[in-house]
Amino acid sequence: MPINILMPALSPTMEEGNLAKWLVKEGDSVSSGDVIAEIETDKATMEVESIDEGTVGKIFVAEGTEGVKVNELIAVLLEDGEDASAISDAPAALAPSAPPAAEAPAAAPAPTSAAPAPATNGAAAPAPAPEPSSGARVFASPLARRIAKDAGIDIGSVAGSGPHGRIIKRDVDAAIAGGTGKPAGAPAAVPAAAPATAAPAPSMSDEQIMKLFEEGTYEIIEHDGMRKTIARRLTEAKSTIPHFYLTVDCELDALLALRAQINGAAPTVDEKPAYKVSVNDMVIKGLAKALRAVPEANATWTDSGMLMHSKVDVGVAVAIPGGLITPVIRDADLKPLSVMSNEMKDYAKRARDRKLLPHEYQGGTSAVSNLGMFGIKDFSAVINPPHATILAVGAGQQRPVVKDGAVATATIMSVTLSTDHRAVDGALGAELLAAFKGYIESPMGLIV
């Protein structure tokens, strides 16, 4: 009998994802273990493998569809001897369905006079998306907006076929190919009043809002899944975790000299160095060693008790388009700098391509956030639960220092430790930061 392929849960907390791409088409034969699709979550793009073997009989969810619920039917496999006639319509419990009118977003009310819907090869035509000229919010994916903007198409004139009438990539592509998209910048009536959801800021007056609409000086970009997740987690962290901060200056000259020696001794592979250790790699190692030396700080607060971690796993904040992600270096206190450096480079590259797997960016016992490469002197980072600490790293700068009663010059790096006061008290945080400073200023401890 036909085999249902359902939207997989790629992490324990996943509720929905975007079906970014099908790697098979109807009629293709697949074997167990073949990659059949790519799914986008809020943090990564992941490949989906077929569990069974057979022939792709029908694809129920087109590529580019966003907001596909976990366990929703996305395709059907046919076993040997079966044909497409064996496939019934998608089961009611699994098939995607349009929400009733009462559940439609308040920001996108149905138009009072509907225009005739275009023909769609016998399928039910999606309701036209509201136009910006109506003052209503246009629900469209960032990719769809970008394609429409590049093509000079008014995104509000494109009919959406995604969940809740959301405009997605295929809708814009169809509008461009069919010439049905309204050119951007076409004259439109100014709305009598801006809807509440479109207001840039509650404190603005109606006159200011109207002026922005008339001048076209801003654009509403709908939040994607990553930005929503970042907002939710950081709001939760700042609201529920009592942060306090400790800052210390570290001299880097000895560390920079050791780094040069380590990289100079690197063997070559295909005429390239086998590794190139960065200052950030040594900072990660220094924090990991400090957590091992002060194990009481390698903890997580819970209501039922303190979790004292036996391993030191350090997350590293990596900026990616639209947000950030924190891959985790496991056993960071035990790995050689060369191994850790290459692992971090691999993580950073795959993070920017959204190819990290959930277990590679979830968990950890502390984290490092480094903005020194942007010239930032010092800053305070927000703790990333379930961690109890995060180290914010500034730029190494030439500064005057006093040594033996005389003014000298040294390379100084300011670091700020944010701590969860429920798990790490002031004295304990100071002890951890002192241990870190010791490893940075006497860096031979990082390689033994």
Side-chain angles (χ1 to χ4, degrees):
M1 61 180 295
I3 302 168
N4 291 336
I5 301 176
L6 308 181
M7 182 68 170
L10 302 177
S11 71
T13 59
M14 178 176 168
E15 297 180 356
E16 63 179 32
N18 304 332
L19 207 161
K21 185 177 182 181
W22 280 108
L23 302 178
V24 295
K25 59 183 182 299
E26 292 180 1
D28 285 355
S29 297
V30 298
S31 301
S32 177
D34 287 352
V35 178
I36 60 173
E38 292 182 354
I39 304 296
E40 289 181 352
T41 66
D42 57 348
K43 292 286 189 178
T45 299
M46 300 168 64
E47 296 177 337
V48 176
E49 297 182 356
S50 176
I51 300 174
D52 303 285
E53 58 182 38
T55 302
V56 180
K58 187 172 183 179
I59 292 176
F60 283 96
V61 178
E63 67 177 37
T65 301
E66 302 180 349
V68 183
K69 300 294 184 182
V70 169
N71 291 330
E72 184 174 311
L73 181 68
I74 60 175
V76 168
L77 281 184
L78 297 172
E79 296 181 314
D80 289 342
E82 294 180 330
D83 58 30
S85 63
I87 303 174
S88 59
D89 291 336
L94 298 173
S97 58
E103 294 179 4
T112 55
S113 58
T120 55
N121 297 326
E131 297 187 12
S133 58
S134 69
R137 181 176 178 180
V138 176
F139 288 86
S141 71
L143 178 58
R145 290 181 181 277
R146 184 166 64 250
I147 295 173
K149 182 178 181 181
D150 292 343
I153 297 294
D154 180 355
I155 191 68
S157 68
V158 179
S161 63
H164 299 269
R166 180 183 171 98
I167 301 167
I168 57 179
K169 176 181 180 293
R170 68 163 180 247
D171 302 323
V172 179
D173 289 340
I176 294 171
T180 58
K182 177 181 175 183
V190 177
T197 55
S203 60
M204 297 184 70
S205 67
D206 290 343
E207 291 77 11
Q208 290 173 315
I209 295 172
M210 285 297 298
K211 185 175 179 59
L212 287 176
F213 269 110
E214 292 169 357
E215 296 176 350
T217 54
Y218 76 95
E219 176 186 5
I220 297 175
I221 303 297
E222 188 175 355
H223 302 306
D224 61 12
M226 174 176 289
R227 182 52 56 185
K228 289 178 181 177
T229 299
I230 291 171
R232 174 177 53 81
R233 287 181 59 83
L234 294 188
T235 300
E236 177 185 354
K238 267 297 197 179
S239 302
T240 62
I241 297 176
H243 286 60
F244 81 96
Y245 310 96
L246 300 168
T247 301
V248 71
D249 290 338
C250 304
E251 290 193 20
L252 289 184
D253 296 292
L255 182 142
L256 294 174
L258 178 61
R259 173 178 174 262
Q261 291 180 341
I262 292 172
N263 289 336
T268 57
V269 178
D270 296 330
E271 299 183 352
K272 295 182 179 179
Y275 54 83
K276 186 176 181 181
V277 174
S278 68
V279 171
N280 197 52
D281 297 328
M282 301 179 85
V283 166
I284 297 166
K285 185 75 170 182
L287 177 60
K289 286 272 194 176
L291 286 166
R292 179 60 68 195
V294 187
E296 296 86 354
N298 195 35
T300 295
W301 167 270
T302 71
D303 290 337
S304 58
M306 197 77 73
L307 304 184
M308 307 303 297
H309 301 287
S310 59
K311 300 177 66 175
V312 179
D313 301 330
V314 178
V316 185
V318 175
I320 63 176
L324 59 89
I325 193 169
T326 309
V328 179
I329 302 291
R330 311 287 174 181
D331 296 313
D333 59 320
L334 302 177
K335 289 179 178 174
L337 276 168
S338 57
V339 173
M340 193 173 69
S341 177
N342 287 337
E343 184 176 339
M344 192 60 235
K345 288 180 176 63
D346 172 62
Y347 278 165
K349 181 181 184 304
R350 289 194 290 120
R352 295 184 183 102
D353 295 336
R354 295 201 177 191
K355 295 294 185 182
L356 288 178
L357 300 176
H359 72 270
E360 293 174 323
Y361 60 80
Q362 293 177 346
T365 61
S366 187
V368 169
S369 180
N370 191 339
L371 293 179
M373 66 287 294
F374 299 107
I376 300 300
K377 180 182 177 182
D378 60 75
F379 66 104
S380 301
V382 181
I383 295 169
N384 183 29
H387 306 163
T389 55
I390 184 171
L391 188 70
V393 182
Q397 301 174 328
Q398 290 284 306
R399 301 183 202 170
V401 297
V402 177
K403 294 185 176 181
D404 299 325
V407 177
T409 301
T411 305
I412 304 296
M413 174 182 73
S414 296
V415 298
T416 299
L417 183 72
S418 304
T419 74
D420 180 347
H421 210 321
R422 300 170 301 177
V424 179
D425 294 325
L428 182 59
E431 185 180 353
L432 176 64
L433 207 50
F436 171 81
K437 178 180 171 74
Y439 281 111
I440 296 301
E441 296 188 345
S442 300
M444 287 301 295
L446 301 177
I447 60 176
V448 296

